[in-house]
Amino acid sequence: MWFILGRASGVVSDERWHNFLRVKEEVDRAEGVLKRGGRSPHEWEKLGVAVQRDGTRRSAYDLIRLPGFSEARLRQLAPELKDISHRSLERVVIEAQYRDHLKRQADDVRAFMADEMLSLDPNLDYDLIPNLSAEVRDRLRSVRPVSVGAAKRMEGMTPTSLVQLLRHARRASTVETLA
């Protein structure tokens, strides 16, 4: 994305742009080859690859995360990769190895942002929220934050108090949605 913005802004030269497009095409082609043609555990075992016998069809891309699965082994299993550079295939391998972590992290960020944006009733009676200290209740009453994110950034807000406030806000949001 940043490279496209750089190109649109005129800071990426024609040579670098064409190199980027060539590498991107090569990476996309390698991913396509590796993601194509899922095989059963039995079929993978015939090729000398030990996978869990759970009946799940897996592509070569899925196998990259197996311990000790090398670039050389990938090239053996998918001869169509012979024209793919080491650097491009290495990039695909790294992305495959970290894809679950990146997806989980993106999900966590989405959940965090949803919590940050969760609205608080401006007339909320903070005495109804259990386990808030008197000090936190007083601060909440005086500041009257409009969202959980704003409350989180208040001076004196403790993690425990924030969790209690978040639970209350989620319940209120659920009740509001059902009404």
Side-chain angles (χ1 to χ4, degrees), residues 84-142:
I84 304 293
S85 71
H86 163 73
R87 189 170 180 197
S88 293
L89 189 54
E90 183 180 48
R91 184 184 237 158
V92 172
V93 167
I94 290 168
E95 286 180 23
Q97 288 172 333
Y98 288 99
R99 76 171 176 211
D100 289 344
H101 300 289
L102 294 173
K103 182 186 178 318
R104 202 168 23 256
Q105 189 175 45
D107 291 345
D108 289 346
V109 167
R110 267 191 298 282
F112 173 78
M113 292 307 291
D115 289 346
E116 276 270 307
M117 307 293 269
L118 205 54
S119 295
L120 295 174
D121 180 354
N123 301 315
L124 179 59
D125 181 357
Y126 295 105
D127 291 326
L128 298 176
I129 303 174
N131 303 320
L132 290 181
S133 69
E135 180 186 1
V136 168
R137 283 182 212 278
D138 289 342
R139 286 225 167 103
L140 286 166
R141 279 190 207 101
S142 66

Side-chain angles (χ1 to χ4, degrees), residues 2 4 12 15 18-19 21 26 31 50 54-55 59-60 64 69 92 102 114-115 128 132 134 156 162 167 169 177:
W2 57 270
I4 294 168
V12 175
E15 180 184 345
H18 293 301
N19 186 47
L21 291 177
E26 195 173 56
E31 267 189 21
D54 57 5
S59 67
I64 290 172
F69 210 79
V92 172
L102 294 173
D115 289 346
L128 298 176
L132 290 181
L162 186 61
R167 284 183 181 154
T177 305

Side-chain angles (χ1 to χ4, degrees), residues 19-30:
N19 186 47
F20 166 77
L21 291 177
R22 183 185 53 73
V23 170
K24 183 179 180 335
E25 185 274 327
E26 195 173 56
V27 166
D28 290 346
R29 193 164 29 111

Side-chain angles (χ1 to χ4, degrees), residues 58-76:
R58 292 173 179 84
S59 67
Y61 188 83
D62 296 323
L63 299 180
I64 290 172
R65 292 177 296 155
L66 293 176
F69 210 79
S70 67
E71 180 183 327
R73 187 68 173 125
L74 275 177
R75 289 185 187 277
Q76 280 178 335

